[in-house]
């Protein structure tokens, strides 16, 4: 018995220049991969939004090179990762009204938290220093229903 094309393990990566065009370029690249993987419209929208948020965070808050990764595992989950050179500086006390969210910035990780089954940060291999990642469950029948519960003990980047 062979695995259907929609459930074969797939992975693709993209180097991004540190410029405003990085986010639209990452979205276009991810959309092409998702189309090839036969993602549903909702899966596509969710993954593209998470990719946009993680790339934007790398552009605003990090230094060095940026590399985006997109993978689908055999269970149908979609893994989004963005590697960068690490923070530009350590963030100190809140400068605003204390909520950490102004009109322009600060909602990206909340969006990722809402859409992803689980997400986090870890060290990235050289020449990068930081990796932001998210795992999105799919609505593919073999993947089961989309869940929003995140196990409290799950703090490390998943390997599969």
């Amino acid at each position: 018995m062979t695995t259907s094309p929609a459930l074969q393990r797939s992975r693709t990566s993209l180097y991004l220049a540190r410029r405003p065009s990085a986010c639209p370029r990452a979205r276009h690249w991810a959309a092409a991969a998702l189309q090839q993987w036969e993602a549903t419209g909702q899966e596509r929208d969710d993954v593209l939004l998470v990719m946009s948020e993680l790339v934007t965070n790398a552009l605003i808050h990090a230094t060095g090179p940026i590399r985006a990764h997109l993978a689908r595992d055999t269970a149908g989950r979609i893994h989004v990762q963005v590697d960068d050179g690490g923070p530009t500086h350590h963030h100190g006390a809140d400068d605003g009204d204390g909520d950490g969210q102004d009109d322009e910035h600060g909602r990206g990780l909340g969006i990722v938290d809402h859409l992803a089954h689980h997400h986090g940060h870890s060290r990235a291999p050289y020449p990068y220093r930081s990796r932001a990642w998210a795992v999105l469950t799919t609505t593919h029948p073999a993947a089961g229903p989309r869940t929003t519960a995140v196990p409290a003990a799950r703090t490390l980047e998943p390997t599969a």
Side-chain angles (χ1 to χ4, degrees), residues 27 34 40-52 80 111 114-116 136-137 139 146:
R27 285 177 60 89
L34 293 166
T40 68
Q42 185 63 54
E43 291 164 353
R44 179 186 174 278
D45 292 347
D46 291 354
V47 169
L48 294 181
L49 186 52
V50 168
M51 178 66 73
S52 292
V80 179
I111 292 169
H114 178 74
L115 295 175
L136 289 82
T137 57
T139 55
R146 174 183 230 153

Side-chain angles (χ1 to χ4, degrees), residues 23-93:
C23 196
R25 183 167 182 234
R27 285 177 60 89
H28 179 75
W29 159 79
L34 293 166
Q35 181 176 2
Q36 184 178 13
W37 297 346
E38 300 175 359
T40 68
Q42 185 63 54
E43 291 164 353
R44 179 186 174 278
D45 292 347
D46 291 354
V47 169
L48 294 181
L49 186 52
V50 168
M51 178 66 73
S52 292
E53 294 300 335
L54 297 183
V55 170
T56 298
N57 282 348
L59 288 168
I60 293 172
H61 302 292
T63 63
I66 300 171
R67 186 171 184 191
H69 308 274
L70 192 61
R72 182 194 52 212
D73 63 26
T74 55
R77 294 175 298 231
I78 298 175
H79 302 251
V80 179
Q81 298 177 12
V82 175
D83 298 342
D84 59 52
T88 56
H89 64 284
H90 295 294
H91 298 284

Side-chain angles (χ1 to χ4, degrees), residues 64-154:
I66 300 171
R67 186 171 184 191
H69 308 274
L70 192 61
R72 182 194 52 212
D73 63 26
T74 55
R77 294 175 298 231
I78 298 175
H79 302 251
V80 179
Q81 298 177 12
V82 175
D83 298 342
D84 59 52
T88 56
H89 64 284
H90 295 294
H91 298 284
D94 206 13
D95 295 332
D97 60 6
D99 69 359
Q101 296 183 359
D102 61 25
D103 289 342
E104 296 279 333
H105 302 290
R107 294 181 180 90
L109 290 180
I111 292 169
V112 173
D113 186 54
H114 178 74
L115 295 175
H117 179 66
H118 48 273
H119 65 93
H121 290 86
S122 60
R123 287 190 162 267
Y126 181 83
Y128 309 98
R129 292 183 10 205
S130 177
R131 171 174 287 164
W133 56 267
V135 179
L136 289 82
T137 57
T138 66
T139 55
H140 194 286
R146 174 183 230 153
T147 61
T148 56
V150 178
R154 189 83 190 231

